[in-house]
């Protein structure tokens, strides 16, 4: 019986020793993996937002129900250099002005929902409906149907949605899975129109006074299209602060505690070998 009890005691001590070794070692390994993941994600999301670059692309003129109703479709090719998808859509109707006197001719502006893939490019379309008969003096009709170039100014409101998952298995961007934020922007753009179907490159700026419209035969400049520089400020700063705190904390705990646990297991193993 004495030999049996001693054997049971040795097996018990051996199992306890293995548990005291495996559990800290596994915990340390997982914590170091967490820190490595947080480091890679921190690098991928820093800076959190890089401005989207758009270039004016295809422009179409469509006639609507009458000769005085004009429908325009302007497409911009946009490059998204961020590590997540960015969605755009019009939040509400804007305003369309025609001529140097800024005659209001329409409030029908629509930007269909567009998705710009992460580290990729996509198209953002701008749909505009004009009714030139709203000009009480007919001066704009003369410009349009005489074949002369007439400036068109548009003011639109765009919702930009940033939605990214921090965890690869997360289905939603809420909570620990990631973050989602939406910011409304005011776009002030313009172009020259020459009937029946010629449209100059789209130009955008912070205000109408800063706009430099190109003639219909000019080639579009690289950064002349829709601008997303307005996606900045307190919203991005707040999300950036939250991201930095969460990921830096994960790196500190992961590397600090994880490495300590791994070293503790190594040292404990060496001491056990010396004793034996």
């Amino acid at each position: 019986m004495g030999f049996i009890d001693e054997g049971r005691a040795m097996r018990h001590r051996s199992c306890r020793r293995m548990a005291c070794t495996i559990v800290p070692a596994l915990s340390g390994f997982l914590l170091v993996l967490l820190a490595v993941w947080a480091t890679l994600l921190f690098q991928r999301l820093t800076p959190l937002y890089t401005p989207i670059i758009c270039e004016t692309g295809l422009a179409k003129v469509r006639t609507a129900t009458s000769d005085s109703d004009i429908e325009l479709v302007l497409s911009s090719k946009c490059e998204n250099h961020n590590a997540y998808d960015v969605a755009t859509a019009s939040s509400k109707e804007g305003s369309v002005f025609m001529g140097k006197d800024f005659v209001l001719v329409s409030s029908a502006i629509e930007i269909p929902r567009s998705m710009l893939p992460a580290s990729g490019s996509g198209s953002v379309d701008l749909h505009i409906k004009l009714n030139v008969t709203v000009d009480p003096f007919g001066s704009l009709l003369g410009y349009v149907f005489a074949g002369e170039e007439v400036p068109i100014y548009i003011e639109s409101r765009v919702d930009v949605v940033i939605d990214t998952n921090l965890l690869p298995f997360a289905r939603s961007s809420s909570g620990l899975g990631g973050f989602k934020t939406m910011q409304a922007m005011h776009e002030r753009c313009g172009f020259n129109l020459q009937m029946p179907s010629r449209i100059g490159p789209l130009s955008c700026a912070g205000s109408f006074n800063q706009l430099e419209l190109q003639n219909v035969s000019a080639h579009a400049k690289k950064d002349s299209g829709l601008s997303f520089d307005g996606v900045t400020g307190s919203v991005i700063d707040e999300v950036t602060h939250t991201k930095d705190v969460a990921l830096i904390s994960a790196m500190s705990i992961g590397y600090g505690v994880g490495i300590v646990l791994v070293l503790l297991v190594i040292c404990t193993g060496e001491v056990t070998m010396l004793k034996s």
Side-chain angles (χ1 to χ4, degrees), residues 140-246:
L140 298 181
L141 285 171
Y143 277 108
V144 172
F145 296 108
E148 299 184 24
E149 294 186 19
V150 57
I152 306 294
Y153 301 95
I154 56 178
E155 182 178 18
S156 61
R157 294 165 177 82
V158 185
D159 284 338
V160 178
V161 180
I162 297 175
D163 189 354
T164 180
N165 290 328
L166 299 181
L167 301 178
F169 52 81
R171 297 182 59 185
S172 174
S173 60
S174 59
L176 297 177
F179 63 86
K180 180 177 182 179
T181 182
M182 182 180 70
Q183 187 167 354
M185 297 191 315
H186 288 256
E187 291 284 348
R188 295 173 178 86
C189 306
F191 56 90
N192 279 316
L193 170 66
Q194 184 181 43
M195 293 300 291
S197 60
R198 300 188 69 189
I199 301 177
L202 181 70
S203 300
C204 298
S207 65
F208 288 131
N209 294 330
Q210 298 174 334
L211 280 178
E212 296 182 2
L213 303 187
Q214 305 174 68
N215 58 49
V216 295
S217 59
H219 295 285
K221 298 179 180 180
K222 178 68 174 178
D223 301 330
S224 63
L226 293 172
S227 171
F228 294 89
D229 294 338
V231 186
T232 55
S234 59
V235 176
I236 297 298
D237 292 341
E238 182 179 351
V239 177
T240 300
H241 176 72
T242 303
K243 180 262 299 181
D244 291 344
V245 170

Side-chain angles (χ1 to χ4, degrees), residues 63-83:
T63 56
T65 56
S66 65
D67 292 338
S68 60
D69 289 335
I70 305 171
E71 182 180 353
L72 309 177
V73 179
L74 289 84
S75 297
S76 294
K77 182 180 179 181
C78 300
E79 299 178 1
N80 177 22
H81 297 288
N82 296 285

